Amino acid sequence: MCVWIEDADAIDMESKALNMVYINTRVKSFLNGKNTLGIAGVKGQGKTFLLKVKRKKAQGSNKSCQKQSIVCLPRNKMVDTIDSSLIINKQLYKFFNDYNNWVKAWKLSFAITIINSEYFCNLYEEIDFMKMKNITKEMIRMENRWSSPIKVLTKIFRLSRKEINELYVDLNELLMLLERVQSGVYFFIDKVDQAFTIDIHRIYGDTDMSRGARNASYWQYSQYALANAAYDLFSNINNHIKVYYTIREEALIDSHKIAPNNKRNIEAYLMILKYSKIDLHNMFKLYVESEDDINLLDAKIKRTNQEKAFIGMDFIKHGYIDNIDEGLFDYIYRHSLKRPYDIMRICRQLYFLDNEDKRSLRQIRGTVNNASKDILKAYIKELSPFLPCEYEDIKNVLHGINTNVFNIEYMKIVCERYNTFYEGFTKCNRNFVECNNPKPFSLLYNLGLLGVLKQSHTNRSIYIEFENIGESVFNFETQTIPKSELFFLHPCLGDIVRELRNQKGLNYQPNDIFVTGDLCEYNNARFAELEQFILEKVDELKGEKIFVSSTIHDLSEERDKICGYLLDRGLYPIMSETPYFDLSNVQLSHSHDYCIEQLLGCKNLIFILGKKYGGIYSGEKYKKYAEEICKLSKNKIERPSISLMELYMARKNGLRCYLFVSEEIELGKRKYDKEKENSTDIDTMVFIELNFINHFREEEEKAIKGNWISVYQNNNELIKRISNLMFSTAPISTKL
């Protein structure tokens, strides 16, 4: 038997899996406690599994409850679920805008199921049908034999507005009948969160609550109303009636606004399911010990060394950091999102490796990394209804990151770049610490994908901590990242970022100083090394900025194409006419000097020579370099253009320069050189400028390097030539 079962849906009453239960204090309160009715947790915590364990414990070994004093419903399966194809009558869309109508619908469903049940015929016989509405009579007819409250609820959703109002009139009469129940009636309700399509997956207070025809709070109302009804039935009507249920932890957000008078009472009967790393490790050990010997590499040690028994080794050599071996479970855990589902999924994929592959570090790492990527994608998909963005937006954040450890300065650069190119320049106030725009790093933090440094309360050690998923995922209104000297990317994102950047020809390098992951210890003595490493990564990011210099109006088409190409490649075009150009400090200097300052913040220059000579440099800061150009050109260029100044300053400062000129200009230059006459629409100064670029000397008798000029026939060929370029990320060699 393979014990690594990711999804509890297929587990039935006879499954041996129900015997393998790891019990911590929270789980114990649900399985053994008399007053815990519900489980709340994020997806992947194993809520369905525990609900089925509770059902088996309540029902005993018999498949049928008929011979017992406790009636467990539904009869034909372990838990009751709402089908995702659920249909709600259009007349009721606005009706269920009211949270209280959800509570009544749940109570009706339980009441009708009990009254109509073959086990409580005495209740049916005591009904005063003369007082009942016709729809109520129809719903509780003995011939119906409603087998579960979900079937009743589904019927209620299909009623007309008039019918459901009449049904609600009789609710109190039906609830009074339930007071006469003298033996246990246990319901098991699961997966209510999966009943509705995405167009109504919105939480309380969402700005899109009214989107479309349906109420946007159905997802939350349906779940919290179930908890509300379960509490009322047990506490206020009859404590023999117990509704055991699961709901998503996210449904508790702002519950004080939904049920202000009952919140504390409702949630007193609700257990929020959580596991620590120690819990998950003990769960891992329990499952290995429960595995059939034939499925283990070394069954003899399965009670003393579970990691080695399962996979043949108990330590994994780190892929990037020398002399670091981490425990197998530690390696699995830090690639997870701290949920049982993640551990199960990773271990299941390791389980199905061939025995030889189980002993291969490469196979183990590859399997864990691939499983981790799949887990992350599934997690984002699960949360997509609640997120203010799509998965593609998250990828836009990630492809601008070139390592897995950051400081504030690094995050400021990435944040400015992201907001400038994807959110719009106005979203960025150029002050990361005080910025109220929540993306991109608050997004990662709230998703549990950005770690921070924390200090232990016991031994004063420092460790990395990632937010528990689902706990703050909705807090996107303001910047939510706590103060920390350093920040860390979740290991499950490593391969995803690397692939995104490799596709665009960009580098990704994780730090090689220490292991990153939840609860990994941090050695403050190596802080200086990390700071230096981050500085190098910041310098590389600057290399992804490409300054495009040319005359603007006559080369607008070329510049547009270059801008689009560079953005598609994951690079950042610095062009004065685009919305991406930083104008935050332009008032502090002359516009020409400001352009040169922006240029000197880059490492690469694309220079295109057009038919027009362009505007004359008229700044002050770099005036002496304009005079150098005049001298080097032997006064053939008396007043250099701003474009020529940009090229000259780029060369003086060691930027990698790529020069382009159209075939038309090159042919015109040859004719001008030969005949000394210009009969074209090309400015004569362009030919002089081109000759200067080809021949000017940095020092006497020393020809300048990097004066290769690519000639292109048309714009498509220009882009093709640019696509072959390798842009520098090396440190800038300043010569000024």
Side-chain angles (χ1 to χ4, degrees), residues 470-493:
E471 291 193 357
S472 63
V473 72
F474 303 118
N475 195 351
F476 290 104
E477 296 300 322
T478 59
Q479 189 73 272
T480 57
I481 303 175
K483 290 183 179 179
S484 179
E485 282 189 296
L486 295 170
F487 302 84
F488 307 88
L489 195 67
H490 196 288
C492 72
L493 289 169

Side-chain angles (χ1 to χ4, degrees), residues 8 35 130 133 265 286 439 666 699:
N35 295 327
M130 295 296 294
K133 302 291 184 182
N265 293 330
L286 171 66
K439 289 189 287 187
E666 177 66 20
E699 295 176 15

Side-chain angles (χ1 to χ4, degrees), residues 294-311:
I294 196 172
N295 295 330
L296 299 172
L297 282 182
D298 191 348
K300 295 177 182 178
I301 57 172
K302 72 177 184 178
R303 301 192 186 282
T304 56
N305 189 334
Q306 291 78 17
E307 284 90 342
K308 195 168 185 178
F310 175 53
I311 209 72

Side-chain angles (χ1 to χ4, degrees), residues 57-108:
K57 183 179 177 65
Q59 185 169 324
S61 58
N62 270 331
K63 291 183 181 179
S64 171
C65 296
Q66 295 181 26
K67 297 179 181 179
Q68 303 181 55
S69 60
I70 295 174
V71 175
C72 293
L73 297 171
R75 294 194 300 268
N76 56 346
K77 54 183 179 178
M78 294 197 74
V79 296
D80 207 0
T81 59
I82 304 180
D83 191 272
S84 59
S85 61
L86 176 73
I87 296 174
I88 300 179
N89 187 338
K90 291 181 179 180
Q91 293 182 20
L92 303 181
Y93 285 171
K94 290 184 179 180
F95 182 80
F96 281 109
N97 285 1
D98 186 340
Y99 166 76
N100 291 316
N101 286 332
W102 283 94
V103 179
K104 292 176 183 177
W106 276 115
K107 288 181 180 178
L108 267 171

